[in-house]
């Protein structure tokens, strides 16, 4: 699913507002943080046509975004939860001589353990290991007959990244997220890579 900058800004702004309200209400300490990132997703196997379907076009990349919040127990260890929208993949072609089109949208809820390696007071490296509860919504039209399949499941997730702290309360972060074998026999399984950059606010 493709988003305009205005829509993304609205979603990220609403997330920051709600997070700030929750943190204030809980009298949170400085270990809490929240952020948002925008980037590009890549579905590894969607366009390989291993099933022998006659693809005439296929787009396995899209703009995505994620919203996240977490807590640092100390300078080296924390936990993080988030919501990620990986966009959609589209394909068209023929199957047994019949034309078809397909679109699959993927979103997910994530939970990670976070390891941090500070290199100095401002710059640090990140590693995250956890799970994603994914939701896939597939819309397929074959010979003019349309159908929809919605599936969900839980799979392995990891991430590597770096963060630069502009101040005590604001930082910028770049990350590579990897989601293993998203999907099932109904939607097809696919490894997904997501490169993103965004802003982190510490409370």
């Amino acid at each position: 699913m493709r988003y305009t900058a205005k829509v993304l800004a609205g979603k990220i702004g609403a997330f920051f507002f709600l997070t700030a309200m929750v943190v204030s209400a809980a009298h949170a300490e400085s270990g809490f943080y929240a952020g948002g990132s925008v980037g590009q997703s890549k579905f590894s196997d969607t366009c390989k046509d291993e099933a022998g379907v006659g693809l005439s076009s296929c787009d396995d990349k899209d703009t995505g975004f994620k919203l996240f919040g977490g807590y640092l127990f100390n300078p080296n260890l924390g936990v993080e939860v988030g919501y990620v929208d990986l966009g959609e993949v589209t394909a068209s072609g023929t199957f047994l001589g019949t034309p078809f089109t397909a679109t699959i949208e993927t979103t997910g809820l994530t939970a990670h353990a976070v390891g941090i390696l500070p290199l100095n007071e401002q710059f640090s490296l990140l590693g995250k290991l956890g799970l994603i509860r994914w939701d896939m919504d597939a819309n397929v039209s074959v010979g003019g007959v349309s159908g929809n399949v919605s599936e969900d499941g839980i799979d392995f997730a990891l991430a590597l990244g770096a963060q630069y702290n502009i101040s005590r309360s604001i930082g910028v972060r770049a990350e590579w997220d990897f989601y293993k074998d998203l999907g099932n026999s109904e939607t097809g399984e696919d490894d997904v890579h997501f490169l993103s950059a965004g802003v982190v606010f510490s409370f």
Side-chain angles (χ1 to χ4, degrees), residues 17-200:
F17 174 77
L18 291 174
T19 300
M21 293 294 289
V22 171
V23 171
S24 298
H27 304 286
E29 298 179 353
S30 60
F32 285 97
Y33 66 89
S37 299
V38 178
Q40 185 179 72
S41 61
K42 171 70 166 65
F43 290 72
S44 297
D45 300 324
T46 299
C47 295
K48 288 184 177 179
D49 199 11
E50 294 176 346
V53 177
L55 292 177
S56 58
S57 67
C58 187
D59 185 359
D60 56 8
K61 298 178 181 178
D62 200 6
T63 300
F65 73 92
K66 62 180 177 179
L67 305 173
F68 53 86
Y71 183 80
L72 298 179
F73 299 107
N74 57 54
N76 302 109
L77 183 65
V79 291
E80 184 176 297
V81 296
Y83 169 82
V84 59
D85 188 320
L86 296 170
E88 66 181 25
V89 296
T90 59
S92 62
T94 58
F95 180 69
L96 299 178
T98 303
F100 78 90
T101 59
T103 301
I104 301 177
E105 300 179 9
T106 304
T107 60
L109 299 175
T110 60
H112 290 94
V114 184
I116 305 100
L117 177 62
L119 300 182
N120 55 43
E121 291 185 358
Q122 293 180 299
F123 189 74
S124 58
L125 301 179
L126 309 172
K128 300 193 296 187
L129 182 64
L131 299 171
I132 178 171
R133 184 194 182 282
W134 52 265
D135 289 279
M136 283 190 173
D137 188 16
N139 294 282
V140 181
S141 176
V142 181
V145 179
S146 299
N148 175 270
V149 176
S150 294
E151 299 289 336
D152 58 67
I154 297 176
D155 281 297
F156 173 75
L158 65 83
L160 298 174
Q163 182 168 319
Y164 181 80
N165 295 319
I166 300 172
S167 67
R168 292 179 63 87
S169 58
I170 301 176
V172 291
R173 179 187 290 190
E175 287 184 293
W176 165 73
D177 288 270
F178 176 72
Y179 306 108
K180 178 67 174 175
D181 290 336
L182 299 193
N184 56 24
S185 59
E186 296 294 324
T187 61
E189 294 185 348
D190 210 341
D191 295 342
V192 183
H193 303 263
F194 182 49
L195 292 173
S196 65
V199 181
V200 182

